Amino acid sequence: MNITRENIDELNAVVKVDIAKDDYAPKVEKILKDYRKNANVPGFRKGHVPMGMVKKQYGQAVLVDEVNKLLQENLNKYLTEEKLDVLGNPIPKEQENFDWNKDDYTFEFEVGLAPEFEVSLDLEKPVTKYNIVADDTMIDRQIENIQKQYGKLISKDEVEEGDIVAGTFKNEEEGIENETSIELEKIKGKRNLNKFVGSKVGDTIKLKTKSLFEDDHDLIQHLKIEHDKAHDLDIEVEFTISEINKRELADLDQELFDKLFGEGKVKTVTELKEKIKEDAEKQFVQQSDQQLMNDVTEALIEKTDFDLPKEFLQKWIRTVGEKPLTEEEAVEEYENSEKGLRYQLIEGKIVKDNDIQVDFEALKAFAKDKIKEQMAQFGQMDPSDKELDDIAARIMSNQDEVKRLSEQLVNEKLLNFYKDNMKFDEKEVTYDEFVKEIYE
């Protein structure tokens, strides 16, 4: 067997594989002999079927199968030994009038090569690194939410502002009939609110859905309608009141503090605020880190310029899926995935050049940290090492989980690498300011 490569340009090559009869004949002959031993053909004793008959019936199928196995095995071996950094998979070139009756065969494959490039972390316009802080407004809002959650409902006869009203929304024409409970503070506009105030159990209120709630998602929840329908829905609905309640906020006392954080860990409202601020800002770090990673990714893609074997990749995309794509579909798919491919190459280059590795022990320790975080969410604050080791062992035996954790750990290592080696514009913001700046 002989394998050669012709470079068309820096990004494209053709690999030629010559297979001689001596490469495949011994294996084919052995398989056909095994077939002969086990063949059951009427008129012949088992194991005594003429070889000519066996070859006529099975010969070409065995030949094609063995040549393809030989081809795939040696092509992959060649690409590995030559250390070719290929994109996608080799695409076999079509050959007209290919003849399997010959003794020797030649196959050609188109190959897309990864580009050579350098990555610089020195950006002309530094990425913004957000430091999200929990301000007094947010802390007070969180305390109020806690008081509501642990408070109690007191039944009433007549609706006042701030109450919680249970009832049923109806509109026969639209097929709406849904029991729900509404916090009146989420009703939009004084005009709508006034329709509730003064009402009693059994009363029916007529309301317009347009601008009924501050948030369209509340309309989806309370009317049980499709998401796409909620934004422009402008119909009249009836709401029949079945229950009226006032929420009495829980006292900020030691009993509540112990429920929230464990006995004696928080003793005053000041300590409560400090604890809420600390916990919130820990969560904010994850969000700011994710945004930093997104922004660094975008910046590196924009700054790092290199060409890709575009035509090859579009051709490969056409053939790689279960269902072949049209040329137009392949072009669209390529355009949708090009940015992701560029970052994969950039990330791979950074990982390789800076020896960013994930070994088994590091992955196991990372898995145990994730397990501890999840257990803490369910109140298990101090699991034993044995518990953690046992759970980690089960997770590490699942290849899909290992892959997922490996990707997470590499991302974490990359983020730390960026933090250590890039200059950022540091910006302190509240969570509301962060959301507004990022999403609006």
Side-chain angles (χ1 to χ4, degrees):
M1 179 179 296
N2 185 43
I3 303 181
T4 56
R5 181 178 84 249
E6 178 188 354
N7 288 337
I8 306 303
D9 54 39
E10 291 183 351
L11 299 174
N12 295 275
V14 173
V15 174
K16 182 179 177 183
V17 183
D18 294 317
I19 298 180
K21 184 176 181 179
D22 290 345
D23 296 321
Y24 62 82
K27 183 71 172 176
V28 171
E29 195 69 24
K30 182 180 183 305
I31 292 173
L32 291 175
K33 284 180 179 179
D34 290 340
Y35 275 20
R36 185 186 181 211
K37 289 178 186 177
N38 298 297
N40 287 311
V41 178
F44 298 95
R45 285 183 297 149
K46 186 175 180 180
H48 288 76
V49 179
M51 180 56 83
M53 185 178 291
V54 173
K55 286 184 177 180
K56 185 176 182 180
Q57 187 169 356
Y58 302 108
Q60 189 168 76
V62 173
L63 169 67
V64 171
D65 189 46
E66 288 306 311
V67 168
N68 279 324
K69 286 180 184 176
L70 196 64
L71 184 62
Q72 197 61 52
E73 179 184 333
N74 285 277
L75 179 60
N76 291 337
K77 184 180 176 183
Y78 172 82
L79 296 176
T80 301
E81 290 177 347
E82 292 291 311
K83 297 180 180 178
L84 289 182
D85 194 358
V86 300
L87 300 178
N89 292 317
I91 300 174
K93 294 186 73 173
E94 292 185 13
Q95 298 185 58
E96 293 184 9
N97 304 318
F98 187 86
D99 187 2
W100 282 104
N101 293 316
K102 291 183 178 180
D103 290 337
D104 301 331
Y105 309 107
T106 296
F107 301 91
E108 291 185 337
F109 294 85
E110 296 178 56
V111 177
L113 304 175
E116 294 286 337
F117 61 92
E118 296 299 325
V119 180
S120 172
L121 301 181
D122 185 16
L123 304 176
E124 292 179 12
K125 183 181 178 182
V127 168
T128 299
K129 183 176 181 293
Y130 293 96
N131 177 26
I132 308 173
V133 296
D135 62 343
D136 291 341
T137 300
M138 181 179 187
I139 293 169
D140 290 341
R141 193 163 60 221
Q142 183 64 19
I143 289 175
E144 185 179 351
N145 288 338
I146 290 170
Q147 287 181 282
K148 285 181 179 179
Q149 182 182 348
Y150 288 89
K152 58 185 178 182
L153 296 179
I154 299 173
S155 182
K156 297 179 59 181
D157 296 323
E158 187 174 307
V159 178
E160 295 180 282
E161 289 188 27
D163 286 346
I164 300 168
V165 182
T168 303
F169 276 110
K170 281 187 180 181
N171 180 297
E172 290 186 10
E173 188 177 331
E174 294 290 332
I176 294 171
E177 183 171 356
N178 187 55
E179 292 184 21
T180 188
S181 186
I182 304 170
E183 295 183 44
L184 291 188
E185 62 187 29
K186 294 185 177 181
I187 293 292
K188 185 175 182 179
K190 198 74 174 174
R191 190 175 186 180
N192 286 324
L193 184 59
N194 286 339
K195 291 184 179 182
F196 285 90
V197 174
S199 299
K200 298 179 180 179
V201 172
D203 288 351
T204 296
I205 304 167
K206 292 185 178 181
L207 299 158
K208 285 282 190 180
T209 56
K210 190 73 172 176
S211 300
L212 178 57
F213 294 99
E214 293 287 351
D215 188 338
D216 283 341
H217 289 90
D218 289 326
L219 194 67
I220 296 168
Q221 175 191 337
H222 292 304
L223 270 65
K224 282 290 182 288
I225 56 176
E226 298 292 329
H227 184 279
D228 294 340
K229 195 176 180 180
H231 183 66
D232 296 317
L233 187 66
D234 188 6
I235 61 172
E236 186 175 80
V237 291
E238 293 182 345
F239 183 77
T240 302
I241 298 174
S242 60
E243 191 178 339
I244 304 165
N245 290 295
K246 176 183 179 181
R247 192 190 298 276
E248 185 176 276
L249 299 181
D251 292 331
L252 297 175
D253 55 17
Q254 193 60 50
E255 182 181 355
L256 178 61
F257 301 156
D258 291 347
K259 280 182 184 177
L260 292 170
F261 304 108
E263 190 173 345
K265 292 187 177 180
V266 170
K267 297 179 181 177
T268 65
V269 173
T270 300
E271 289 180 4
L272 172 65
K273 289 184 176 183
E274 290 172 354
K275 181 65 175 169
I276 289 172
K277 180 179 176 66
E278 178 187 343
D279 290 346
E281 290 180 354
K282 281 181 182 177
Q283 294 181 13
F284 294 159
V285 168
Q286 295 178 356
Q287 294 186 56
S288 62
D289 278 353
Q290 184 59 58
Q291 188 59 43
L292 181 64
M293 192 68 168
N294 293 345
D295 291 341
V296 168
T297 297
E298 291 289 338
L300 290 176
I301 291 172
E302 185 176 342
K303 179 181 175 62
T304 311
D305 186 35
F306 53 81
D307 292 326
L308 291 169
K310 181 177 176 180
E311 291 182 6
F312 168 83
L313 289 170
Q314 289 175 359
K315 185 184 290 188
W316 174 67
I317 288 170
R318 288 184 65 182
T319 61
V320 73
E322 292 181 11
K323 179 183 175 184
L325 301 181
T326 65
E327 189 171 333
E328 292 76 15
E329 288 171 334
V331 169
E332 183 180 358
E333 182 68 23
Y334 172 79
E335 289 173 350
N336 290 337
S337 59
E338 182 183 356
K339 183 180 283 189
L341 174 58
R342 287 184 176 277
Y343 183 67
Q344 282 181 18
L345 292 170
I346 292 168
E347 180 186 282
K349 176 76 172 171
I350 293 171
V351 166
K352 181 180 177 182
D353 288 353
N354 297 280
D355 197 27
I356 298 174
Q357 296 182 9
V358 172
D359 58 31
F360 180 82
E361 289 303 319
L363 191 60
K364 183 179 176 182
F366 182 72
K368 288 169 71 173
D369 286 341
K370 293 296 179 185
I371 294 164
K372 284 175 71 174
E373 289 176 11
Q374 290 186 347
M375 293 178 78
Q377 291 175 5
F378 294 97
Q380 293 178 265
M381 306 303 294
D382 192 24
S384 68
D385 286 338
K386 186 178 185 310
E387 280 182 286
L388 293 173
D389 285 334
D390 289 346
I391 298 172
R394 288 198 298 271
I395 291 173
M396 299 291 279
S397 67
N398 184 317
Q399 289 302 310
D400 290 337
E401 283 295 308
V402 169
K403 181 181 178 183
R404 183 179 65 83
L405 287 168
S406 296
E407 289 172 353
Q408 288 182 6
L409 183 52
V410 168
N411 277 338
E412 186 176 283
K413 285 177 172 284
L414 272 171
L415 180 62
N416 291 332
F417 175 78
Y418 293 148
K419 286 180 177 180
D420 291 340
N421 292 278
M422 297 181 75
K423 294 179 181 178
F424 300 106
D425 283 338
E426 303 268 350
K427 188 171 185 179
E428 185 172 290
V429 291
T430 66
Y431 183 72
D432 289 341
E433 289 169 342
F434 172 76
V435 171
K436 185 175 181 180
E437 187 161 330
I438 295 304
Y439 297 106
E440 293 184 7

